[in-house]
Amino acid sequence: MSNCKYRGVVVPMVTPVTENQQLDVAAVERIIEFFAVNGVAPLLMGTTGEGNSVSAADGLLLVETAVKAAKGRILIYAGLTGNCFSEQLRQAEAYTKAGADVIVATLPSYYALTEEQMYGYYKNLADSITGPLMLYNILATTHMTIPVDVVKRLAEHPNIVGLKDSERDLERMQQCIAFSKERDDFAYFCGWAAQSAYSLSLGGDGIVPSTGNYVPEMFANLYNAAVKGDMALANSLQDETNEIAKIYQAGRTLGQSLTALKVMMQAKGLCEPWMLMPLTRLSEKEEQEIRAKV
């Protein structure tokens, strides 16, 4: 683990919306308070936050609301998705101006990109924005992998501060953590929740678990245990959180699991399980089955 300022638990926060697809500002405030009290930071508009479905106006409102609710207690990570570079630049600058601490960007994913195109995209983005940039590698949705060699080249850029890696590849994880550990200016965040404890045992800087929307305190405890070297406790919490994750993930597509997660959060009074198009709610029967488990 490096001395990088970017570390700890960063929860890819759900984006709470109303039945008519409007951002649920009051719910954003509740969730951010829930996170801040438990010492975890949000990643706004990541995959769990339906980032690709959030409008530019709502994205800015989401960042503004989160920053205000956080009151400086936690860092605000703002997700950046899309295929139009000029629009991405505008959004990134708007988020930074609104108080986001770091921009976390996935690859534009309409076209298959060469390694040089991937490098060029992130270099241009990092050169062009005023806030710090974190790379976000997620094969499941972009259908591309940012090669480890490209990550290493990009890590040399003074405005690129880390990697959030959601790829399910243990060898890749080991390679990325090995080189990020050598640097104090580049953080490794594990976005593969089931390997949270393992990644921290290797020296990763942070974890990005979607189940943290429901039990942020468990992941804060897991992180703290791992940092102290108490891997028995960290692994025990890993097993417990894996079981909780199954409640909303097992047998569902990624999109279906996100509304199921909101059903679980609804049980804690945090938000309603409405979704942004094209995603939809589950049937009333399925929602009742989830509520019965929590």
Side-chain angles (χ1 to χ4, degrees):
M1 188 174 300
S2 70
N3 295 318
C4 189
K5 71 180 267 194
Y6 305 104
R7 60 180 180 268
V9 182
V10 177
V11 177
M13 187 179 125
V14 302
T15 298
V17 294
T18 61
E19 186 174 1
N20 62 358
Q21 307 259 299
Q22 300 299 304
L23 186 71
D24 188 339
V25 172
V28 174
E29 293 168 345
R30 285 195 296 273
I31 296 168
I32 292 292
E33 182 62 29
F34 183 47
F35 286 5
V37 166
N38 286 291
V40 307
L43 164 61
L44 308 175
M45 292 171 287
T47 304
T48 306
E50 301 168 74
N52 270 294
S53 306
V54 178
S55 70
D58 274 350
L60 182 54
L61 178 59
L62 176 54
V63 174
E64 289 170 343
T65 305
V67 168
K68 195 182 281 186
K71 299 177 185 146
R73 291 171 291 175
I74 47 178
L75 293 181
I76 302 294
Y77 295 73
L80 194 67
T81 57
N83 295 310
C84 176
F85 191 71
S86 61
E87 286 180 10
Q88 286 190 300
L89 287 185
R90 272 201 297 275
Q91 285 302 101
E93 288 303 85
Y95 296 161
T96 300
K97 193 174 174 187
D101 295 286
V102 60
I103 300 298
V104 187
T106 58
L107 283 171
S109 56
Y110 187 82
Y111 299 105
L113 304 177
T114 66
E115 291 190 15
E116 281 309 307
Q117 287 167 338
M118 293 181 195
Y119 176 81
Y121 166 72
Y122 280 118
K123 183 187 181 301
N124 279 311
L125 190 56
D127 285 344
S128 305
I129 65 176
T130 50
L133 176 66
M134 191 171 280
L135 316 174
Y136 181 176
N137 181 64
I138 178 160
L139 175 63
T141 58
T142 65
H143 311 292
M144 284 180 281
T145 295
I146 308 166
V148 175
D149 286 346
V150 174
V151 174
K152 286 179 179 175
R153 284 173 67 195
L154 289 165
E156 300 296 328
H157 194 292
N159 201 33
I160 294 178
V161 297
L163 167 71
K164 184 219 162 179
D165 202 339
S166 298
E167 190 154 338
R168 299 184 170 207
D169 182 334
L170 288 176
E171 188 182 348
R172 175 190 171 85
M173 177 194 291
Q174 291 156 0
Q175 290 174 343
C176 289
I177 292 176
F179 90 81
S180 67
K181 266 201 310 194
E182 304 297 311
R183 322 179 51 113
D184 283 342
D185 59 352
F186 190 82
Y188 176 88
F189 280 82
C190 177
W192 181 5
Q195 297 296 337
S196 295
Y198 178 62
S199 71
L200 294 168
S201 76
L202 293 178
D205 296 284
I207 53 176
V208 192
S210 61
T211 310
N213 279 282
Y214 182 68
V215 282
E217 71 288 351
M218 291 181 76
F219 285 99
N221 291 340
L222 185 159
Y223 173 81
N224 291 331
V227 168
K228 289 174 186 161
D230 186 351
M231 291 313 299
L233 177 56
N235 287 321
S236 168
L237 286 162
Q238 181 74 74
D239 292 341
E240 285 184 62
T241 55
N242 287 350
E243 288 305 307
I244 293 168
K246 287 177 188 169
I247 298 172
Y248 68 97
Q249 291 174 353
R252 295 191 177 92
T253 64
L254 175 56
Q256 289 170 328
S257 75
L258 301 183
T259 185
L261 176 57
K262 286 184 182 179
V263 173
M264 292 170 68
M265 294 172 73
Q266 183 184 34
K268 288 191 173 183
L270 293 166
C271 66
E272 299 288 315
W274 299 107
M275 303 299 285
L276 290 167
M277 286 284 287
L279 298 180
T280 53
R281 282 180 72 158
L282 301 171
S283 68
E284 181 55 37
K285 180 174 176 284
E286 282 181 284
E287 288 191 4
Q288 284 173 346
E289 286 169 357
I290 293 165
R291 288 189 199 104
K293 291 177 182 174
V294 300

